[in-house]
Amino acid sequence: MSAITLEEMDYGQKRINSTKLKTEQSPPYARQVEPSHFPQEFLLNESPTYDLHQPFNKPNSYDVREILVNMDLYVSESDHFMIKLRDIFKNYIHTYKEAETANAWLKSPNMQYWDQQLNFAMWATTTGCGVSIHDHLYNENIPAQIRSFFRFHVYFMTRRILNQLGCPLPDDTDVFDLNNNVFNEVEYHKICDEFGVDYNTDFRFSYDPSGNNGIGIGYQWYGGAAHIKHIQRKYQGSMLQIPDAEDEARRSYKWYKFQNADYRPYNYFILKNSAGFTQAGLGRLNRSIEAYIYCVLGSQADTRVSIVDSGGGAQETRQKMKALLEDEIRGINEDDSIPRYQNVINSTRVKLDLAISPSLWLLPSKMIINLNTNVAGYNNFLQQATENMKFGYNNINNEVKKPALEKMEGHTDPIKRPVLQRSLAVEDTTSSQLEAPEHDILHEYATLGTLVGAILLTYLFI
C-alpha cells in the first residue's frame, strides 16, 4: 500500500506555536549553548513554529508502528534486545454504513473519535515536543542508545497521554469504540494548554483520493455480500443501507459503505525535521528518561539478570520491564519517580555519561546491570547534562576510588597498628620484615619477668 506525497495533501496554513511547560515538577532549564557542543535539533528552541501536519518526502517512507510495537532497544553501542509492546495502532480504520455517523465525522473536529485521540497524542509526543522522524527516530548518525531512547519516549509518552485522557485502547474490547470512545475533556484542555494548542484544533486526517474529505473510499455491494465493487464514489451526504433481513432480501438491494484508506494517519502528525525541543518537550522528555532508566535497569535490578542475555532469565527480565512500563504509563507511585530512578542507578552500578541535551537528565551509555560487587566510588547521583559536555558519550564518572579505611574505636591512627601493617604488606614480604622491633621484644621480656617474680613472692608468703 502506498502512502501519499506532499503534493497530494491539502493541509491549509494552520501552524502551532509551542509555549512554556507549566509544571512545577520539571527541572529549571539551562540557556542554549553553542551549536558546537550539541546539534541544534537537540537544543531548546524558545519559539519554534511547526506545521500541524508533517508529510514525508517519499511515499510510505516510514511507519512508526513497526519500530514502536516491536522495539529494538540498544543498551550499549552494540548490545540490544527486542521487546514486543502493546499495539495501540490497530483497528483505526473507520467504516461508515450510516449517513449519521459519516456526517458527524465530517461536520467538525471531535475528540470522541479514536483516530483523532491517537493523532493528538502522537502530535503532542513528537511535534509538540520537537521530536522528529529524521533527527531522532531514524537518525543513523546519532548513538544507537539515544535513538532507542527517543523511540521509547514516543511510545511511552503517547500511551501516557492517552491514559491521562482516559481513552480505552483498541484491545480493550469491552469499552473501546472507534466512533464514540471515552475521553476526559478537562484533561484534554490541560494538555492543550501545556503545548499551547487551541482546544478546537483539527486532528482529523482529511485526505482521501475520492475527494470525500476523510470519510474514505466508497464501496458498492450488490447481488449479495459476496459481490463487492470498489468505486470512487463521491459522498453526497446519504447512502443506501442494507436492511437487517435474510439473504433473499439482500439480493434485491444495492448499498454503499465508505471506509478510510489505510494511510496510517498518525504518521502524518509526526514532525519531519526538528529545529529544537520545545519548553513543554523538555519536561516530557525528562519524564521519559526517568521511566526509561527505571524500566530497563529496574527490571535487571529485580531479577539480577542482564536484559541482553539469551537465556530464560533474560526473558523474565524483559517481562518484568513490560510490567514496570505499564506501571509508569498509569502513573503508579508518580511522586516517587525520581527516587526510584536514583535507586536503580545505584543498585545496578551504572555510570551516567550519555548527554542528549543541556538540562535533560544524563543517561548511562551502558544500561546493563553491573554485577561486579568490587566496583565502588562512581559519582552516579542524578545530574543534568551541562553546556560543558558534548552530545553523546562523555568521559565522566570513570574514577574508581578505593574504599576509605575506617578508624577503629579507641585509636586515632589505625594505620600504625602492627596488625593492619601486616595486612597491607605485599605478598613477597619476608617474615623478618613483619617482626616487631628489638626494643619492643626486650620490653616484653622485662614485663614477663616482673610478672613471674610477683607470682613467686606470693607463693612464698603463703
Side-chain angles (χ1 to χ4, degrees):
M1 187 220 75
S2 61
I4 55 179
T5 61
L6 175 60
E7 290 76 15
E8 295 175 309
M9 306 184 88
D10 180 16
Y11 292 124
Q13 301 298 316
K14 186 168 181 112
R15 301 174 75 85
I16 304 300
N17 292 317
S18 297
T19 57
K20 293 183 178 180
L21 179 65
K22 301 176 181 177
T23 64
E24 297 179 356
Q25 297 178 350
S26 302
Y29 302 125
R31 63 180 177 82
Q32 291 197 36
V33 300
E34 293 298 325
S36 59
H37 293 292
F38 292 85
Q40 177 57 48
E41 57 269 23
F42 291 87
L43 294 173
L44 170 64
N45 188 330
E46 294 284 358
S47 55
T49 303
Y50 295 133
D51 291 330
L52 178 61
H53 304 80
Q54 294 291 321
F56 306 140
N57 285 332
K58 298 177 181 179
N60 207 26
S61 299
Y62 305 101
D63 181 11
V64 295
R65 178 182 186 177
E66 298 172 1
I67 63 170
L68 299 184
V69 175
N70 299 297
M71 197 173 294
D72 187 12
L73 294 176
Y74 277 78
V75 290
S76 74
E77 288 183 308
S78 57
D79 297 299
H80 61 107
F81 66 96
M82 293 288 299
I83 188 167
K84 185 175 180 60
L85 302 175
R86 191 175 178 184
D87 189 356
I88 62 173
F89 302 101
K90 62 183 180 180
N91 299 336
Y92 60 87
I93 298 177
H94 289 262
T95 299
Y96 304 96
K97 296 182 180 180
E98 299 176 353
E100 181 180 0
T101 56
N103 292 339
W105 192 94
L106 288 169
K107 182 179 179 180
S108 63
N110 191 329
M111 288 299 293
Q112 72 182 26
Y113 290 95
W114 164 245
D115 62 334
Q116 295 176 53
Q117 295 170 357
L118 179 59
N119 292 344
F120 169 71
M122 289 291 290
W123 171 86
T125 299
T126 56
T127 304
C129 291
V131 173
S132 74
I133 283 281
H134 293 158
D135 299 310
H136 305 109
L137 300 182
Y138 286 91
N139 189 349
E140 296 292 333
N141 297 318
I142 62 176
Q145 306 99 302
I146 293 179
R147 186 172 60 249
S148 292
F149 160 70
F150 279 106
R151 293 178 178 185
F152 174 90
H153 159 75
V154 172
Y155 181 86
F156 165 71
M157 198 53 69
T158 299
R159 286 280 314 274
R160 191 170 169 85
I161 288 175
L162 290 171
N163 182 78
Q164 184 177 347
L165 293 174
C167 301
L169 301 182
D171 54 6
D172 296 324
T173 54
D174 293 338
V175 290
F176 177 76
D177 189 334
L178 271 173
N179 297 316
N180 190 21
N181 210 36
V182 174
F183 87 104
N184 187 319
E185 188 171 5
V186 173
E187 293 298 323
Y188 172 66
H189 289 174
K190 287 181 181 178
I191 300 173
C192 288
D193 290 340
E194 176 184 340
F195 289 96
V197 62
D198 188 87
Y199 303 155
N200 297 314
T201 299
D202 191 353
F203 285 99
R204 292 175 296 177
F205 182 72
S206 58
Y207 173 81
D208 69 63
S210 300
N212 288 327
N213 298 316
I215 66 165
I217 300 171
Y219 292 83
Q220 181 181 22
W221 287 23
Y222 61 96
H227 300 85
I228 302 175
K229 180 181 179 182
H230 170 222
I231 59 172
Q232 296 287 330
R233 178 174 174 81
K234 184 71 175 177
Y235 181 66
Q236 303 294 333
S238 62
M239 60 185 77
L240 296 172
Q241 188 168 349
I242 190 167
D244 291 328
E246 300 297 329
D247 287 345
E248 291 77 11
R250 291 175 184 263
R251 296 191 185 96
S252 62
Y253 282 86
K254 67 176 183 179
W255 63 285
Y256 303 100
K257 71 174 181 179
F258 290 84
Q259 188 172 80
N260 298 132
D262 187 12
Y263 288 116
R264 300 174 177 90
Y266 47 82
N267 285 308
Y268 297 92
F269 289 86
I270 304 175
L271 187 62
K272 182 176 68 173
N273 293 303
S274 176
F277 299 133
T278 66
Q279 284 279 17
L282 287 180
R284 291 279 178 170
L285 285 166
N286 264 331
R287 184 63 186 89
S288 291
I289 291 175
E290 294 165 14
Y292 186 47
I293 291 180
Y294 176 66
C295 293
V296 175
L297 293 180
S299 57
Q300 297 176 81
D302 184 72
T303 63
R304 309 306 292 175
V305 177
S306 167
I307 203 165
V308 295
D309 284 351
S310 56
Q315 292 298 326
E316 180 186 354
T317 302
R318 293 167 199 170
Q319 290 300 316
K320 180 65 177 180
M321 176 188 166
K322 292 168 68 172
L324 293 178
L325 174 59
E326 292 298 322
D327 289 345
E328 288 292 290
I329 289 169
R330 294 193 297 270
I332 296 177
N333 299 321
E334 183 66 17
D335 293 339
D336 298 332
S337 62
I338 293 180
R340 284 186 286 113
Y341 169 39
Q342 177 70 75
N343 288 338
V344 297
I345 291 172
N346 293 338
S347 62
T348 53
R349 300 182 179 90
V350 296
K351 295 182 293 182
L352 297 169
D353 54 9
L354 195 66
I356 296 177
S357 176
S359 76
L360 290 185
W361 297 124
L362 288 172
L363 282 82
S365 62
K366 189 172 183 179
M367 296 179 64
I368 303 173
I369 187 172
N370 183 357
L371 295 174
N372 182 0
T373 57
N374 294 323
V375 176
Y378 287 138
N379 176 20
N380 56 2
F381 289 104
L382 287 182
Q383 52 189 311
Q384 298 172 10
T386 68
E387 58 187 58
N388 297 323
M389 297 179 183
K390 63 180 181 180
F391 175 71
Y393 175 75
N394 288 263
N395 189 24
I396 56 178
N397 291 337
N398 289 317
E399 180 183 2
V400 180
K401 303 175 183 178
K402 293 181 179 179
L405 294 172
E406 297 180 0
K407 292 184 178 182
M408 302 294 291
E409 184 177 356
H411 295 272
T412 58
D413 194 355
I415 296 180
K416 293 182 179 180
R417 296 176 70 240
V419 174
L420 185 56
Q421 282 183 329
R422 287 195 290 271
S423 69
L424 294 178
V426 294
E427 292 180 356
D428 62 350
T429 302
T430 62
S431 60
S432 62
Q433 290 175 298
L434 298 178
E435 292 178 356
E438 183 178 355
H439 69 274
D440 286 346
I441 296 175
L442 294 175
H443 176 71
E444 291 180 6
Y445 278 129
T447 303
L448 179 60
T450 302
L451 179 60
V452 171
I455 294 173
L456 290 173
L457 287 173
T458 303
Y459 177 77
L460 289 174
F461 280 108
I462 292 173

